Amino acid sequence: MKATYTLLPEFAPSQKPFVVKKIVRPYFSTDFHFHKECQLVYVLSGSGTRIIGHSIEQFEEGDLTFVGPNVPHVWYSESKPNEPASEAISLALYINPETICEHLSALTDTMELRQFFKESERGIRICGQKKALITNILKQMLAQQSGHVGILASFLQILDQLLDPQELVWLNVPDPISTYTSQTSGRVPKLMHFIQQNFKEDITLQQAASVAGLQIHSFCRFFKTLTNRTFSDFLNEVRIGFACKLLQQSDLPVTQIALECGYTNISYFNRCFKKINKMSPKAYRTASVAKN
């Protein structure tokens, strides 16, 4: 299920900083897609499966999630035998991150906000009291007149809530390699580049230690301190992340995907995949393509 780029019509005529709208459909079913705008979605009615990046979860009435820019996503309804399908109603707040940061930069430092938009590429589920507060503000925004100062005040309240990490649940783990390649010198970028280029092969601990210029014992201690993971666990996260992309975007058999990701033992691949994603590769693929 390959994601396609979508140009949101609400933003096409002008560089609007944000748009709030109510969406009513017979059922949730759209293409697996992405766009440059962020998206805050509150489900008023309906249930089904939600895919954000590599995360696949069931959703129901009351679900509140935030999707960062250019992240593939979809909500779709699942028909249940002998049960009438409930109407799909949601409130959506679309945010153009570049435009809103440009507008706000004249008033305040936007570094924290820009960092949040970047991190939101992992996808966020919002819960607890924060969910109740944000959904109430969303409903207020829908009733407020577009262009009125009140809707701007409501929007800023939502941003303020999102910048507070309390009651935010990240849906995807950060990409393990890009987390460390921001360092521009030293052994870390060199090591991460080596892993990125060779994770499909049988990388030995000795090879990785040699690239880092360390003895194996020192390398193991260095790597655990750097990533809070063993080298083996880190390598599995990189490989399983690639496997998720192949399961979503190709028809390759699971055994072939395991080989493409560097696993020669299919049972070990299945165990690693289930440990990280809480479901088997087969179940993951079934969930990601069920709408088709």
Side-chain angles (χ1 to χ4, degrees), residues 121-135:
E121 292 173 4
R122 293 166 56 190
I124 303 168
R125 178 166 53 84
I126 304 160
C127 54
Q129 295 181 350
K130 178 170 291 186
K131 180 173 77 168
L133 178 59
I134 290 178
T135 53

Side-chain angles (χ1 to χ4, degrees), residues 78 145 150 160 164 167 172 198 228 255 257 277:
E78 296 175 324
Q145 183 178 353
D160 185 56
D164 178 0
E167 299 181 309
N172 292 281
N198 297 280
N228 201 32
T255 51
I257 287 176
N277 291 296

